[in-house]
Amino acid sequence: MKTEWQETEKSDIAYRVERNTLVITLGSELDHHSAEHIKNRSEYYLYKHQIRHIVFDFAKTNFMDSSGIGVIMGRYKTVRGLGGTIAVANVSEQLERIFVISGLHKLVDRYQTVRDAIQ
Amino acid sequence: MFQNKMEVSFESISENESFARVVVAAFITRLDPTLEEISDIKTAVSEAVTNAIIHGYEGKRDNQVILRCEIRDREIKVVVSDTGVGIPDIEKAKEPLFTTKPEMERSGMGFVFMEAFMDRLEVESDVGKGTTVTMYKRIEIPMRMEESCEKSH
């Protein structure tokens, strides 16, 4: 599928829109600092591009703390209100533990790749 | 017994959360921790420092967070202190999903992660004076190469 819109921020986080899905490729670390950025940018895309679903791509990510859980939960609440879903892709074993302890794994769909998640 | 100590003080801005994680990870390198142990400690440090910045100092900069780290034999002690607002009810603060800042999308999982990823957690707090979080974790003796080869056979 053609990427209709793409932007790379100054930070190492990338956002792209494929039809009604926003794909957020996270940077190496998802903490309070980067979570603030993701919160602000994703709200912008959601309203500008009629987004229903969000895919978080963790391929480059080797660290996440509870601030990451908070930002994913926040997006979950938003898209759920629009009838959408949240998916995550390329989650490492280490980050998997964070998902399980927080209970977030029950709310999001997990996929091996971003392509699988979008389909 | 091997012993070592360090202390750093840094400004209460979110950029310093990654700085604090890296400092602790570098300090404990000598113990040869596994990637999982490093990741556990980095997560716990991140939670404590983020709490100091967001809650202790309520997001205001120009305040100092103090990070101390001590190695005694194979045990690591990490102390994160602020002189911020303090926590009125520590037990409540530790409850999963409890947060005083839901509007900031805080998950309420900070203390849960600190407890899950470290061996022991102590929280001391005085309202109006500040909070000190102390965490301990023992780093297991690394398996030598030949042992790990034998095991995999």
Side-chain angles (χ1 to χ4, degrees):
Chain A
M1 195 185 298
K2 182 173 145 279
T3 299
E4 288 159 22
W5 217 88
Q6 188 158 355
E7 176 186 0
T8 306
E9 301 286 338
K10 276 178 191 161
S11 69
D12 56 354
I13 306 160
Y15 302 82
R16 74 171 196 274
V17 175
E18 288 197 22
R19 288 211 306 207
N20 62 354
T21 302
L22 172 65
V23 180
I24 304 175
T25 306
L26 300 163
S28 59
E29 303 198 310
L30 176 50
D31 63 359
H32 161 229
H33 184 64
S34 49
E36 287 289 303
H37 186 274
I38 292 161
K39 178 184 168 185
N40 296 334
R41 296 307 290 161
S42 61
E43 292 301 302
Y44 165 80
Y45 285 109
L46 242 60
Y47 294 107
K48 196 168 158 101
H49 296 274
Q50 282 101 45
I51 298 297
R52 290 279 294 281
H53 311 288
I54 300 178
V55 178
F56 287 94
D57 181 7
F58 284 84
K60 292 192 293 176
T61 313
N62 52 44
F63 178 86
M64 176 168 85
D65 63 16
S66 72
S67 301
I69 300 296
V71 77
I72 297 171
M73 282 291 298
R75 305 293 73 69
Y76 170 79
K77 285 175 187 158
T78 309
V79 298
R80 196 182 48 172
L82 304 166
T85 56
I86 297 278
V88 296
N90 297 307
V91 176
S92 70
E93 224 173 275
Q94 193 61 40
L95 297 192
E96 178 74 19
R97 294 167 65 216
I98 305 263
F99 275 90
V100 172
I101 293 170
S102 66
L104 195 64
H105 65 300
K106 292 175 191 159
L107 304 180
V108 302
D109 303 316
R110 277 170 296 171
Y111 296 93
Q112 292 288 322
T113 68
V114 172
R115 189 54 39 212
D116 294 341
I118 292 171
Q119 279 159 3
Chain B
M1 185 177 74
F2 178 74
Q3 271 184 290
N4 195 7
K5 278 185 197 175
M6 68 92 172
E7 180 174 325
V8 286
S9 176
F10 50 85
E11 200 178 335
S12 54
I13 54 173
S14 62
E15 283 87 343
N16 284 334
E17 292 152 8
S18 62
F19 169 72
R21 296 194 292 267
V22 170
V23 163
V24 174
F27 185 69
I28 63 170
T29 306
R30 191 193 180 277
L31 298 178
D32 207 4
T34 62
L35 285 178
E36 188 174 315
E37 286 165 335
I38 295 173
S39 180
D40 287 353
I41 291 165
K42 282 173 90 172
T43 306
V45 169
S46 197
E47 300 301 346
V49 171
T50 302
N51 275 353
I53 292 172
I54 293 180
H55 298 286
Y57 293 128
E58 301 181 300
K60 297 186 200 95
R61 59 188 306 159
D62 291 328
N63 292 292
Q64 293 292 305
V65 179
I66 296 167
L67 169 68
R68 278 174 295 169
C69 196
E70 199 175 323
I71 299 171
R72 287 172 68 86
D73 201 9
R74 298 205 63 81
E75 191 177 60
I76 296 165
K77 176 182 175 185
V78 181
V79 185
V80 177
S81 303
D82 66 67
T83 53
V85 298
I87 305 170
D89 186 344
I90 294 172
E91 287 317 305
K92 188 89 191 154
K94 282 180 173 176
E95 281 176 17
L97 306 176
F98 175 81
T99 180
T100 53
K101 297 201 185 301
E103 75 287 356
M104 281 184 69
E105 301 193 339
R106 306 309 309 163
S107 64
M109 296 300 289
F111 280 121
V112 176
F113 283 1
M114 287 184 244
E115 281 182 325
F117 294 131
M118 302 295 276
D119 296 341
R120 198 148 48 95
L121 169 74
E122 291 163 6
V123 185
E124 280 173 68
S125 193
D126 276 319
V127 172
K129 289 185 181 162
T131 301
T132 295
V133 170
T134 308
M135 301 178 284
Y136 301 85
K137 191 178 181 73
R138 198 182 150 72
I139 302 297
E140 297 308 323
I141 295 169
M143 228 190 309
R144 296 208 316 277
M145 209 45 139
E146 49 271 40
E147 287 169 12
S148 75
C149 286
E150 276 166 30
K151 277 210 167 170
S152 65
H153 284 161

